Amino acid sequence: MLKDLKIQSTSYLIKQLPTLTVFVDTDFNIIHASDNWLFTFGEKSTSTIGDSLFSVFSELNSKWKKVLMGCFEGKCSPIGIQKYTDISNQVKWYKWSNTCWYDENENIIGAIIQMNDVTDAVENERELRKTKVQLKQHSEISKTGRWEYDIEKDEITWCDTTKAIHEVPSSFVPRLDTSIQFYKEGYSRNAISMAVFEGQEKGRAWSLKLQIITATGKEKWVLATGKPYYEKGKLIGFTGTFQDIDEQVLANNEIKKSEKLLRTLIDNLPLNVYVKDINSKKILVNKAECIYLGAKNESELIGKDNFDIYDIETAKKFTEQDMKVMSDLVPILGEEMVSIDKKGVETTFLTSKIPLLDERGRANGLIGISVDITSIKQKEKELRNLIDVTSLQNKKIINFAHIVSHNLRSHSANFSMLLDFLRHENDEDEKQKILGMLNNASGNLLETIENLNEVLAINTNINVEKKVINLFEKLKSVEKNLANVIFENQAQIESDFHLDQTIKTVPAYLESILMNFITNGIKYKHPERKPVISLSLEKGKLVSILTIKDNGLGIDLMKYGNKLFGMYKTFHAHENARGMGLYITKNQVEAMGGKIEVESNVGVGTTFKIFFNEEI
Amino acid sequence: MRKFKFISIIDDDPITIFGIKKLLSCVVDCDSIEAYKDGKIAFDTFRKKFEHDEDIPEVIFLDINMPIMDGWQFLEEFIKLPIKKRIRINIVTSSIDPFDKEKWSYFKDSTHHVITYNNKPINREEIAEMTKEA
């Protein structure tokens, strides 16, 4: 009874235990349990006192059974943690501890098991382990190690990665001084020594890209960082990272090297090279382009578009082109383009524009390459001019050769014909007549030869020395020479020349020009009106234009235009031979680098425009 | 001696005109020999005569290089006149330019008139040839 009471009171005591406690007998049956225990585990299994422990913990493994059995024999082995899934399917972790259960006679009658909910701890630990693994992984992948230095203990610790970077075995024990010895002598070692010193003295953190020499003698770039840490305001040590950045630095150096190579290359190309973005703004320009655009350096041009550089029309044209290249993805290759800058300077380029594609194959800019061919174009133009001049000269020479041959032939034909007549002529009067004609013919021949000589002299530029001539005075003197003709024909000569009007020309040629055109105007006067010849001058810097207008018969230029100056190849000394005069005039004007233009209306009059080259 | 009513010479050189006239006088009997100093005067005269149904020359001596309207331009206009009668046109020139010969062959083939090409100087035999019936 008393014993029962005792048991009962014991049982009652156990019931009230705040911990999760259970008493099992050697058959693993539950004898006592705290209410807490029953509340926690009983609910799910509806087990209660007297049931087997295994009915509550069905998943308890044989190892557990062994441990408890050991306990029944008096050997209390340490126990681990047991997983338990509660009624709401939540996983909980319990740390089991057990001890032998003795009766009053010190006989083992079972085991007392206490369970502690260690779910939080287990989860924390798991989290920590995961973090550690991750950290290790991260440290290995990024080749970033850690280190710590305890000032008081003068102890430095390296993590495995740090050791691996130094290529030392994991058993290596670093010291502060040996740590510093790893840095390459010179800049790297000095820099780290200084950083550590300043860290100690001023609490300054550091982050330095330095070189170390590893235990195996390899040079490596590392990023070493350090940060002091404090306890209650007192510096107690440093902690930091140690990262192997050798590959990055080397790769970076490689990139820099190729960039430099590329830059040197594009800067020294005798071509203008630039890169533009999608908005046609420059993002790269080489030296040649800088020089061409008059910029001191690249930065002056970066971000500028065509409108910042060129005249509005050129800019519009170029921008349209840029956009087309980028939208059609069709490059422009070696196309000739003329650009006019803001100052109006014209440049001819041979330009290529190549679209720059992004990884999706769309254009995000373009590369432009152009060669300034202005001087080549200029040379080409000069060459073409030269060819034109040469072929014109050639034509003139052939023309002249024909004139010479024709003239000489026509005279010699006349001679031979007249001589033949003379031989067969018996009539004395007729003989005299033929002799007179022979005389004429010989005179004509002489004059022809003189004329031909004159044309030759003009074309070989003999006596071509230009002078500044007073046009007004020259006209007056020509009028004086022609006074008779003017008077007989009641001609009127008008001019708008100023008293000091000058023109740069060959004096003799100017005289011949004025003489010829005035005479011409009078000779071909209209039968119904008095001849009026008006002269005017349009003075220019490069070219001055002398206009001589008459109110004569006029010429049907469509029909006879080509005969006006060169057409009439025979030079005779008759009254109507005007071929020679105009032919010589034309040669004179051309020899001075000028030209003659004619406008004429039949019945109204003729206007000659004589262009004087004032430059050469 | 062949009898002609009307022969004309178109040339701006008086010596040539004199020569042709003199040579003609030895080989033909002609009522009227007229000379014109350029193609335009000659053409205008012939056209007027043709329009008024007057005699036009049966033989024409034609120079090439003349002022105003040269021998070629004269030919171009002349062959356009609807003259039924075959006219003999003798080109008499001192030109040896092959280009002129080409032009001659072009005109020769584009008209029913007889066109001959002769280099100066011409002699009696040639003149006789040039006054044969066209």
Side-chain angles (χ1 to χ4, degrees), chain A residues 363-380:
Chain A
N364 57 5
L366 63 84
I367 303 174
I369 303 162
S370 30
V371 203
D372 185 345
I373 53 163
T374 311
S375 63
I376 296 171
K377 285 303 271 187
Q378 185 58 36
K379 292 246 163 65
E380 199 182 300

Side-chain angles (χ1 to χ4, degrees), chain A residues 288-354:
Chain A
E289 176 82 350
C290 285
I291 293 167
Y292 164 65
L293 294 171
K296 278 192 201 80
N297 50 52
E298 197 184 3
S299 60
E300 279 182 40
L301 297 169
I302 300 295
K304 293 211 167 154
D305 63 16
N306 292 319
F307 292 93
D308 296 322
I309 297 165
Y310 299 108
D311 127 291
I312 186 123
E313 286 307 316
T314 304
K316 266 188 204 161
K317 191 173 73 189
F318 282 7
T319 306
E320 229 166 76
Q321 229 169 35
D322 292 351
M323 294 304 162
K324 195 166 159 40
V325 166
M326 288 189 278
S327 66
D328 297 358
L329 304 185
V330 178
I332 292 174
L333 297 171
E335 212 170 89
E336 209 175 291
M337 292 178 197
V338 177
S339 76
I340 300 168
D341 69 10
K342 289 210 174 289
K343 287 179 202 144
V345 178
E346 204 177 291
T347 313
T348 309
F349 280 114
L350 208 58
T351 297
S352 297
K353 289 181 180 178
I354 300 125

Side-chain angles (χ1 to χ4, degrees), chain B residues 1 16-17 34 53 56 67 70 84 86 93-94 107 124 127:
Chain B
M1 208 178 254
T16 307
I17 296 170
E34 279 182 19
D53 237 359
I56 42 171
D70 67 18
K84 291 225 174 65
R86 274 179 115 191
T93 179
S94 53
F107 279 110
R124 259 166 254 254
I127 274 283

Side-chain angles (χ1 to χ4, degrees), chain A residues 402 406 409-410 413-414 416-418 421 424-425 430 433 437 441 559-560 563 568 570 572 574 576, chain B residues 12-16 18-19 22-23 37 40 65-68 70 73 94-97 119-121 124:
Chain A
H402 277 134
H406 180 74
R409 276 184 61 81
S410 70
N414 282 348
S416 92
M417 183 181 71
L418 290 171
F421 289 164
H424 296 95
E425 190 58 65
E430 197 65 15
K433 197 178 169 189
M437 281 198 170
K559 271 189 181 164
Y560 309 117
K563 314 191 85 211
Y568 170 32
T570 321
H572 297 294
H574 341 139
N576 284 336
Chain B
D12 59 332
D13 176 18
I15 296 175
T16 307
F18 168 79
K22 193 163 173 62
L23 290 170
K37 60 185 174 186
K40 190 159 167 56
N65 290 300
M66 288 179 290
I68 318 283
D70 67 18
Q73 286 168 322
S94 53
S95 165
I96 48 163
D97 193 339
N119 269 119
K120 287 181 188 173
R124 259 166 254 254

Side-chain angles (χ1 to χ4, degrees), chain A residues 273-289:
Chain A
V273 179
Y274 51 81
V275 179
K276 287 178 174 182
D277 67 8
I278 191 94
N279 297 315
S280 188
K281 284 188 196 305
K282 291 207 156 97
I283 51 175
L284 182 150
V285 284
N286 77 338
K287 224 185 246 168
E289 176 82 350

Side-chain angles (χ1 to χ4, degrees), chain A residues 176-242:
Chain A
L176 185 64
D177 57 343
T178 52
S179 294
I180 288 174
Q181 291 299 318
F182 273 101
Y183 287 89
K184 194 179 168 185
E185 218 180 322
Y187 170 75
S188 290
R189 198 178 293 170
N190 294 346
I192 194 72
S193 307
M194 201 59 155
V196 172
F197 175 77
E198 295 222 318
Q200 282 172 331
E201 292 295 305
K202 299 170 188 170
R204 219 174 254 171
W206 67 87
S207 172
L208 298 165
K209 270 186 198 173
L210 300 171
Q211 271 178 300
I212 59 161
I213 312 265
T214 67
T216 63
K218 237 159 74 187
E219 255 182 44
K220 252 184 199 175
W221 281 94
V222 294
L223 176 69
T225 71
K227 204 176 170 180
Y229 66 90
Y230 300 86
E231 203 179 78
K232 292 171 186 160
K234 188 184 167 228
L235 178 72
I236 57 158
F238 295 96
T239 180
T241 60
F242 194 79

Side-chain angles (χ1 to χ4, degrees), chain A residues 419-446:
Chain A
L419 286 170
D420 188 51
F421 289 164
L422 200 62
R423 208 171 44 215
H424 296 95
E425 190 58 65
N426 296 319
D427 182 57
E428 208 42 52
D429 286 349
E430 197 65 15
K431 270 189 179 173
Q432 283 306 315
K433 197 178 169 189
I434 293 167
L435 275 173
M437 281 198 170
L438 269 172
N439 210 25
N440 272 348
S442 127
N444 290 349
L445 179 60
L446 269 179

